[in-house]
Amino acid sequence: MMIAISPATTLCSPMAMAGGVSQQTETKRNKNNDILIAVMGATGVGKSSFINTTAGSALAVGDDLESETKEVDFAKFTHRGHRITLIDTPGFDDTYISDTDILQTIAQWLEHAHTKGRRLNGLLYLHRITDNRVSGMSAKNMRLFHMLCGKDAMKNVVLCTTMWNVETAAKAESREKQLLSKFWHTMTEQGAKSARHDGTIESSLEIIDQLLGLPPISLDIQKSLAEGKSLSETAAGQEISRELIALQAKHKQEIEDLMNQMKEALKEQDIKAHSVLMAERMRLEGELSKKQREQEQLSSLFRENLERVENGMKSLKKQWDESWCVIA
Protein backbone atom coordinates (compact mmCIF):
# COMPACT_ATOMS: atom_id res chain seq x y z
CA MET A 1 0.00 0.00 0.00
CA MET A 2 1.28 3.48 -0.83
CA ILE A 3 0.69 6.40 1.51
CA ALA A 4 1.02 9.89 0.08
CA ILE A 5 2.05 12.69 2.40
CA SER A 6 2.52 16.41 2.03
CA PRO A 7 5.33 18.26 3.83
CA ALA A 8 2.83 19.48 6.43
CA THR A 9 1.61 15.96 7.24
CA THR A 10 3.20 14.00 10.08
CA LEU A 11 3.85 10.31 9.64
CA CYS A 12 5.03 8.45 12.75
CA SER A 13 5.44 4.76 13.37
CA PRO A 14 2.97 3.23 15.87
CA MET A 15 5.81 2.48 18.32
CA ALA A 16 7.15 6.03 18.17
CA MET A 17 3.67 7.42 18.75
CA ALA A 18 3.16 5.13 21.72
CA GLY A 19 6.52 6.07 23.18
CA GLY A 20 7.86 2.52 22.81
CA VAL A 21 11.10 3.83 21.23
CA SER A 22 12.57 7.28 21.00
CA GLN A 23 12.15 9.26 17.80
CA GLN A 24 15.94 9.35 17.49
CA THR A 25 16.08 5.54 17.58
CA GLU A 26 13.25 5.31 15.05
CA THR A 27 15.10 7.72 12.77
CA LYS A 28 18.34 5.74 12.97
CA ARG A 29 16.51 2.49 12.27
CA ASN A 30 14.85 3.89 9.15
CA LYS A 31 17.83 5.84 7.81
CA ASN A 32 18.69 3.22 5.22
CA ASN A 33 15.08 3.25 3.97
CA ASP A 34 15.18 6.93 3.00
CA ILE A 35 15.37 7.34 -0.77
CA LEU A 36 16.05 10.67 -2.51
CA ILE A 37 15.24 10.88 -6.25
CA ALA A 38 15.63 13.96 -8.47
CA VAL A 39 13.22 14.37 -11.40
CA MET A 40 14.63 16.42 -14.28
CA GLY A 41 13.80 17.30 -17.88
CA ALA A 42 12.64 20.13 -20.12
CA THR A 43 9.54 22.24 -19.51
CA GLY A 44 6.27 20.45 -20.28
CA VAL A 45 7.58 16.86 -20.28
CA GLY A 46 5.42 15.95 -17.29
CA LYS A 47 7.77 16.15 -14.29
CA SER A 48 5.18 17.55 -11.88
CA SER A 49 2.48 15.25 -13.30
CA PHE A 50 4.74 12.22 -12.83
CA ILE A 51 5.44 13.23 -9.24
CA ASN A 52 1.78 13.91 -8.48
CA THR A 53 0.76 10.55 -9.93
CA THR A 54 3.46 8.70 -8.02
CA ALA A 55 3.25 10.44 -4.66
CA GLY A 56 -0.37 11.55 -4.63
CA SER A 57 0.84 15.13 -4.24
CA ALA A 58 -0.53 18.35 -5.66
CA LEU A 59 2.40 20.17 -7.24
CA ALA A 60 1.35 22.84 -9.74
CA VAL A 61 1.35 21.57 -13.33
CA GLY A 62 2.15 23.85 -16.28
CA ASP A 63 1.46 23.43 -19.97
CA ASP A 64 3.85 22.89 -22.87
CA LEU A 65 4.81 26.56 -23.02
CA GLU A 66 5.01 27.80 -19.45
CA SER A 67 6.70 26.21 -16.49
CA GLU A 68 5.15 26.03 -13.03
CA THR A 69 8.38 24.80 -11.41
CA LYS A 70 10.33 27.95 -10.52
CA GLU A 71 12.26 26.49 -7.58
CA VAL A 72 13.15 23.03 -6.35
CA ASP A 73 10.03 21.38 -4.90
CA PHE A 74 9.38 18.10 -3.09
CA ALA A 75 6.81 15.35 -2.63
CA LYS A 76 7.05 12.30 -0.36
CA PHE A 77 5.45 8.89 -0.16
CA THR A 78 6.19 5.36 1.09
CA HIS A 79 6.66 2.35 -1.20
CA ARG A 80 7.94 -1.17 -0.45
CA GLY A 81 9.02 -0.06 3.00
CA HIS A 82 11.03 2.89 1.70
CA ARG A 83 10.40 6.54 2.55
CA ILE A 84 10.86 8.23 -0.81
CA THR A 85 11.30 11.93 -1.56
CA LEU A 86 10.86 13.04 -5.18
CA ILE A 87 12.55 16.33 -6.07
CA ASP A 88 10.90 18.45 -8.78
CA THR A 89 13.40 20.65 -10.63
CA PRO A 90 12.97 23.42 -13.23
CA GLY A 91 13.96 22.73 -16.84
CA PHE A 92 16.65 24.71 -18.67
CA ASP A 93 14.10 26.18 -21.09
CA ASP A 94 11.92 28.01 -18.59
CA THR A 95 9.58 30.66 -19.98
CA TYR A 96 10.80 33.51 -17.80
CA ILE A 97 13.94 32.33 -15.99
CA SER A 98 17.39 32.23 -17.56
CA ASP A 99 19.45 29.05 -17.83
CA THR A 100 22.00 30.66 -15.52
CA ASP A 101 19.37 31.24 -12.82
CA ILE A 102 18.07 27.69 -13.22
CA LEU A 103 21.56 26.19 -12.98
CA GLN A 104 22.15 28.26 -9.85
CA THR A 105 18.89 27.07 -8.31
CA ILE A 106 19.65 23.40 -8.96
CA ALA A 107 23.36 23.65 -8.10
CA GLN A 108 22.75 25.53 -4.86
CA TRP A 109 20.27 22.93 -3.66
CA LEU A 110 22.59 20.08 -4.69
CA GLU A 111 25.57 21.64 -2.92
CA HIS A 112 23.56 22.29 0.22
CA ALA A 113 22.29 18.72 0.25
CA HIS A 114 25.80 17.40 -0.38
CA THR A 115 27.33 19.36 2.51
CA LYS A 116 24.58 18.06 4.80
CA GLY A 117 25.18 14.46 3.77
CA ARG A 118 21.95 14.16 1.78
CA ARG A 119 23.00 12.27 -1.35
CA LEU A 120 20.75 11.24 -4.20
CA ASN A 121 19.85 7.59 -4.69
CA GLY A 122 18.66 8.15 -8.23
CA LEU A 123 17.72 10.54 -10.99
CA LEU A 124 14.87 10.40 -13.49
CA TYR A 125 15.25 12.30 -16.75
CA LEU A 126 11.89 12.72 -18.51
CA HIS A 127 11.31 13.33 -22.23
CA ARG A 128 8.02 13.45 -24.17
CA ILE A 129 7.65 10.57 -26.61
CA THR A 130 5.09 12.71 -28.47
CA ASP A 131 7.77 15.13 -29.75
CA ASN A 132 8.19 14.69 -33.51
CA ARG A 133 11.85 15.62 -33.26
CA VAL A 134 14.42 16.49 -30.64
CA SER A 135 14.61 20.28 -30.67
CA GLY A 136 17.75 22.26 -29.97
CA MET A 137 16.33 23.16 -26.56
CA SER A 138 15.64 19.51 -25.72
CA ALA A 139 19.12 18.48 -26.84
CA LYS A 140 20.59 21.22 -24.63
CA ASN A 141 18.61 19.92 -21.65
CA MET A 142 20.02 16.45 -22.26
CA ARG A 143 23.60 17.73 -22.49
CA LEU A 144 23.29 19.78 -19.32
CA PHE A 145 21.71 16.85 -17.46
CA HIS A 146 24.61 14.60 -18.47
CA MET A 147 27.12 17.24 -17.39
CA LEU A 148 25.37 17.82 -14.07
CA CYS A 149 25.49 14.10 -13.29
CA GLY A 150 28.78 12.97 -14.78
CA LYS A 151 29.83 9.51 -15.94
CA ASP A 152 29.99 7.88 -12.51
CA ALA A 153 26.37 8.76 -11.67
CA MET A 154 24.86 7.21 -14.81
CA LYS A 155 24.29 3.85 -13.09
CA ASN A 156 21.74 5.65 -10.88
CA VAL A 157 19.89 7.27 -13.80
CA VAL A 158 16.68 6.23 -15.55
CA LEU A 159 15.96 7.95 -18.88
CA CYS A 160 12.19 7.93 -19.06
CA THR A 161 9.95 8.74 -22.02
CA THR A 162 6.50 10.00 -21.03
CA MET A 163 3.04 10.15 -22.63
CA TRP A 164 3.04 6.65 -24.15
CA ASN A 165 -0.70 6.63 -23.49
CA VAL A 166 -1.34 9.41 -26.04
CA GLU A 167 0.87 8.25 -28.92
CA THR A 168 0.61 5.32 -31.32
CA ALA A 169 2.96 2.44 -30.54
CA ALA A 170 4.68 2.56 -33.93
CA LYS A 171 5.54 6.27 -33.72
CA ALA A 172 6.56 6.04 -30.07
CA GLU A 173 8.85 3.07 -30.63
CA SER A 174 10.48 4.76 -33.62
CA ARG A 175 11.21 7.91 -31.59
CA GLU A 176 12.45 5.87 -28.64
CA LYS A 177 14.88 4.06 -30.95
CA GLN A 178 16.25 7.40 -32.19
CA LEU A 179 16.67 8.69 -28.64
CA LEU A 180 18.54 5.58 -27.53
CA SER A 181 20.78 5.39 -30.59
CA LYS A 182 21.57 9.08 -31.05
CA PHE A 183 20.87 11.27 -28.03
CA TRP A 184 21.08 8.86 -25.08
CA HIS A 185 23.69 6.48 -26.45
CA THR A 186 26.58 7.75 -24.32
CA MET A 187 24.52 7.81 -21.13
CA THR A 188 23.21 4.26 -21.60
CA GLU A 189 26.75 3.04 -22.38
CA GLN A 190 27.79 4.53 -19.05
CA GLY A 191 25.07 2.62 -17.19
CA ALA A 192 21.84 4.62 -17.49
CA LYS A 193 18.63 2.62 -17.93
CA SER A 194 15.58 3.51 -20.02
CA ALA A 195 11.88 3.26 -19.18
CA ARG A 196 8.43 4.13 -20.52
CA HIS A 197 5.72 5.98 -18.61
CA ASP A 198 2.08 5.69 -19.68
CA GLY A 199 0.59 8.05 -17.10
CA THR A 200 -0.53 5.36 -14.64
CA ILE A 201 0.60 4.91 -11.05
CA GLU A 202 1.55 1.31 -11.84
CA SER A 203 3.93 2.55 -14.52
CA SER A 204 5.35 5.18 -12.16
CA LEU A 205 6.10 2.68 -9.43
CA GLU A 206 7.74 0.25 -11.85
CA ILE A 207 10.12 3.05 -12.79
CA ILE A 208 10.76 3.93 -9.15
CA ASP A 209 11.51 0.25 -8.47
CA GLN A 210 14.51 0.48 -10.80
CA LEU A 211 16.13 2.96 -8.40
CA LEU A 212 15.45 1.14 -5.13
CA GLY A 213 18.44 -0.51 -3.53
CA LEU A 214 21.00 1.63 -5.36
CA PRO A 215 23.76 3.18 -3.23
CA PRO A 216 23.64 6.97 -2.86
CA ILE A 217 25.86 8.97 -5.20
CA SER A 218 27.54 12.34 -5.57
CA LEU A 219 26.97 14.11 -8.87
CA ASP A 220 29.82 15.61 -10.88
CA ILE A 221 28.64 19.15 -10.14
CA GLN A 222 28.52 18.40 -6.40
CA LYS A 223 32.10 17.10 -6.49
CA SER A 224 33.28 20.15 -8.44
CA LEU A 225 31.65 22.62 -6.05
CA ALA A 226 33.00 20.70 -3.04
CA GLU A 227 36.49 21.13 -4.52
CA GLY A 228 35.96 24.88 -4.43
CA LYS A 229 35.27 25.44 -8.11
CA SER A 230 32.97 28.27 -9.12
CA LEU A 231 29.75 27.45 -10.92
CA SER A 232 31.29 28.68 -14.18
CA GLU A 233 34.11 26.14 -13.75
CA THR A 234 31.80 23.12 -13.55
CA ALA A 235 31.06 21.13 -16.71
CA ALA A 236 27.45 22.36 -16.77
CA GLY A 237 28.54 25.95 -16.10
CA GLN A 238 31.08 25.78 -18.91
CA GLU A 239 28.41 24.54 -21.32
CA ILE A 240 26.09 27.43 -20.47
CA SER A 241 29.03 29.86 -20.64
CA ARG A 242 29.92 28.63 -24.15
CA GLU A 243 26.34 29.19 -25.27
CA LEU A 244 26.24 32.68 -23.72
CA ILE A 245 29.50 33.63 -25.45
CA ALA A 246 28.15 32.36 -28.78
CA LEU A 247 24.91 34.32 -28.33
CA GLN A 248 26.81 37.48 -27.42
CA ALA A 249 28.94 37.19 -30.56
CA LYS A 250 25.78 36.63 -32.61
CA HIS A 251 24.04 39.68 -31.12
CA LYS A 252 27.13 41.87 -31.63
CA GLN A 253 27.25 40.92 -35.30
CA GLU A 254 23.52 41.56 -35.68
CA ILE A 255 23.88 44.98 -34.03
CA GLU A 256 26.77 45.86 -36.34
CA ASP A 257 24.69 44.84 -39.38
CA LEU A 258 21.78 46.97 -38.16
CA MET A 259 24.00 49.99 -37.65
CA ASN A 260 25.18 49.71 -41.25
CA GLN A 261 21.58 49.45 -42.42
CA MET A 262 20.68 52.50 -40.31
CA LYS A 263 23.43 54.52 -42.01
CA GLU A 264 22.04 53.57 -45.40
CA ALA A 265 18.52 54.52 -44.29
CA LEU A 266 19.77 57.97 -43.20
CA LYS A 267 21.54 58.47 -46.52
CA GLU A 268 18.30 57.71 -48.30
CA GLN A 269 16.36 59.82 -45.77
CA ASP A 270 14.13 56.86 -45.01
CA ILE A 271 13.06 57.93 -41.53
CA LYS A 272 10.53 55.11 -41.12
CA ALA A 273 13.07 52.39 -41.93
CA HIS A 274 15.61 54.06 -39.65
CA SER A 275 13.09 54.08 -36.80
CA VAL A 276 12.29 50.37 -37.27
CA LEU A 277 15.99 49.48 -37.38
CA MET A 278 16.67 51.58 -34.28
CA ALA A 279 13.97 49.71 -32.33
CA GLU A 280 15.46 46.37 -33.35
CA ARG A 281 18.95 47.57 -32.41
CA MET A 282 17.73 48.58 -28.95
CA ARG A 283 16.09 45.17 -28.50
CA LEU A 284 19.29 43.35 -29.45
CA GLU A 285 21.40 45.56 -27.21
CA GLY A 286 19.05 44.68 -24.37
CA GLU A 287 19.48 40.96 -25.13
CA LEU A 288 23.24 41.40 -25.32
CA SER A 289 23.34 43.10 -21.91
CA LYS A 290 21.14 40.36 -20.47
CA LYS A 291 23.49 37.60 -21.71
CA GLN A 292 26.51 39.49 -20.35
CA ARG A 293 24.85 39.75 -16.92
CA GLU A 294 24.00 36.05 -16.99
CA GLN A 295 27.62 35.14 -17.66
CA GLU A 296 28.76 37.29 -14.73
CA GLN A 297 26.23 35.51 -12.53
CA LEU A 298 27.79 32.13 -13.14
CA SER A 299 30.76 33.03 -10.96
CA SER A 300 30.02 36.20 -9.00
CA LEU A 301 26.59 35.53 -7.51
CA PHE A 302 26.62 31.79 -6.83
CA ARG A 303 28.25 31.92 -3.39
CA GLU A 304 26.20 34.95 -2.34
CA ASN A 305 22.93 33.29 -3.29
CA LEU A 306 23.96 30.06 -1.56
CA GLU A 307 23.41 31.70 1.83
CA ARG A 308 19.82 32.48 0.83
CA VAL A 309 19.30 28.88 -0.26
CA GLU A 310 20.77 27.53 2.99
CA ASN A 311 18.38 29.67 5.03
CA GLY A 312 15.48 28.39 2.96
CA MET A 313 16.68 24.80 3.35
CA LYS A 314 16.74 25.15 7.14
CA SER A 315 13.02 25.88 7.01
CA LEU A 316 12.45 23.02 4.56
CA LYS A 317 14.49 20.64 6.73
CA LYS A 318 12.17 21.42 9.63
CA GLN A 319 9.19 20.44 7.44
CA TRP A 320 10.99 17.24 6.37
CA ASP A 321 11.82 16.33 9.96
CA GLU A 322 8.30 17.00 11.20
CA SER A 323 6.67 15.07 8.36
CA TRP A 324 8.82 11.97 9.01
CA CYS A 325 8.98 12.38 12.82
CA VAL A 326 12.70 13.08 12.61
CA ILE A 327 14.65 15.04 15.20
CA ALA A 328 18.02 16.34 13.95
Side-chain angles (χ1 to χ4, degrees):
M1 185 177 82
M2 185 182 70
I3 304 173
I5 10 179
S6 67
T9 304
T10 300
L11 179 66
C12 302
S13 73
M15 290 186 68
M17 291 175 68
V21 294
S22 69
Q23 290 179 328
Q24 291 93 333
T25 301
E26 189 73 11
T27 299
K28 184 176 181 180
R29 177 181 299 169
N30 290 326
K31 186 176 180 180
N32 291 333
N33 290 333
D34 291 342
I35 303 292
L36 205 59
I37 298 172
V39 183
M40 298 186 175
T43 299
V45 297
K47 297 188 296 290
S48 298
S49 295
F50 178 93
I51 292 172
N52 288 341
T53 298
T54 309
S57 53
L59 302 182
V61 178
D63 56 28
D64 289 353
L65 299 177
E66 296 193 4
S67 170
E68 286 289 348
T69 307
K70 308 299 183 187
E71 301 285 343
V72 175
D73 207 347
F74 307 83
K76 293 180 285 191
F77 67 106
T78 60
H79 174 59
R80 299 192 187 280
H82 296 280
R83 304 185 305 183
I84 301 172
T85 300
L86 298 179
I87 306 163
D88 193 12
T89 63
F92 283 100
D93 55 346
D94 192 275
T95 314
Y96 304 111
I97 307 176
S98 71
D99 288 345
T100 299
D101 287 332
I102 291 168
L103 180 60
Q104 283 189 355
T105 297
I106 295 173
Q108 286 161 355
W109 186 88
L110 287 171
E111 183 177 41
H112 178 86
H114 194 256
T115 58
K116 300 300 180 182
R118 294 295 302 257
R119 294 195 292 165
L120 293 171
N121 297 84
L123 299 99
L124 292 176
Y125 183 85
L126 306 189
H127 177 84
R128 286 183 301 244
I129 202 63
T130 53
D131 288 356
N132 291 324
R133 61 182 182 85
V134 175
S135 67
M137 198 68 73
S138 292
K140 181 182 72 175
N141 265 279
M142 295 174 192
R143 289 195 306 273
L144 287 171
F145 173 76
H146 192 191
M147 291 174 178
L148 277 169
C149 296
K151 177 181 177 180
D152 294 341
M154 284 297 109
K155 61 184 181 297
N156 289 59
V157 167
V158 174
L159 304 168
C160 177
T161 44
T162 61
M163 304 185 185
W164 280 77
N165 53 312
V166 297
E167 187 56 277
T168 63
K171 287 182 179 179
E173 288 169 3
S174 175
R175 292 167 187 159
E176 181 187 49
K177 184 177 179 180
Q178 182 191 42
L179 284 169
L180 291 170
S181 63
K182 184 176 180 181
F183 296 96
W184 292 351
H185 177 68
T186 301
M187 289 190 281
T188 54
E189 276 198 336
Q190 294 171 351
K193 297 173 282 292
S194 64
R196 303 171 178 179
H197 187 242
D198 62 9
T200 65
I201 190 170
E202 291 80 13
S203 175
S204 298
L205 294 179
E206 286 177 4
I207 294 166
I208 295 296
D209 285 343
Q210 295 191 52
L211 297 171
L212 299 183
L214 295 178
I217 52 165
S218 295
L219 305 187
D220 184 75
I221 193 169
Q222 291 174 311
K223 295 175 185 176
S224 295
L225 294 172
E227 292 169 359
K229 291 182 179 179
S230 69
L231 191 57
S232 61
E233 293 173 319
T234 66
Q238 289 174 356
E239 175 67 15
I240 288 180
S241 183
R242 280 192 292 270
E243 181 178 338
L244 289 172
I245 290 171
L247 285 172
Q248 288 175 58
K250 178 175 178 287
H251 289 330
K252 286 178 181 178
Q253 184 60 55
E254 290 171 337
I255 290 170
E256 184 178 338
D257 292 343
L258 282 171
M259 290 177 69
N260 290 331
Q261 293 177 48
M262 288 169 64
K263 289 177 182 178
E264 290 298 319
L266 284 177
K267 285 181 181 180
E268 297 175 5
Q269 297 186 342
D270 190 340
I271 304 302
K272 183 177 181 181
H274 185 273
S275 177
V276 171
L277 292 168
M278 174 62 79
E280 180 62 10
R281 174 187 167 184
M282 291 177 65
R283 186 190 70 81
L284 287 173
E285 287 177 341
E287 285 294 316
L288 177 59
S289 296
K290 180 180 176 182
K291 298 307 176 187
Q292 290 171 335
R293 289 194 301 271
E294 286 179 33
Q295 193 166 6
E296 291 172 2
Q297 276 184 271
L298 278 173
S299 55
S300 63
L301 297 181
F302 178 74
R303 297 293 168 184
E304 297 173 19
N305 289 341
L306 183 58
E307 183 177 350
R308 174 183 59 82
V309 173
E310 287 178 344
N311 291 334
M313 287 299 293
K314 287 178 183 178
S315 174
L316 182 60
K317 182 180 183 297
K318 183 178 180 182
Q319 294 181 16
W320 276 354
D321 293 349
E322 289 173 351
S323 65
W324 291 122
C325 279
V326 175
I327 295 180

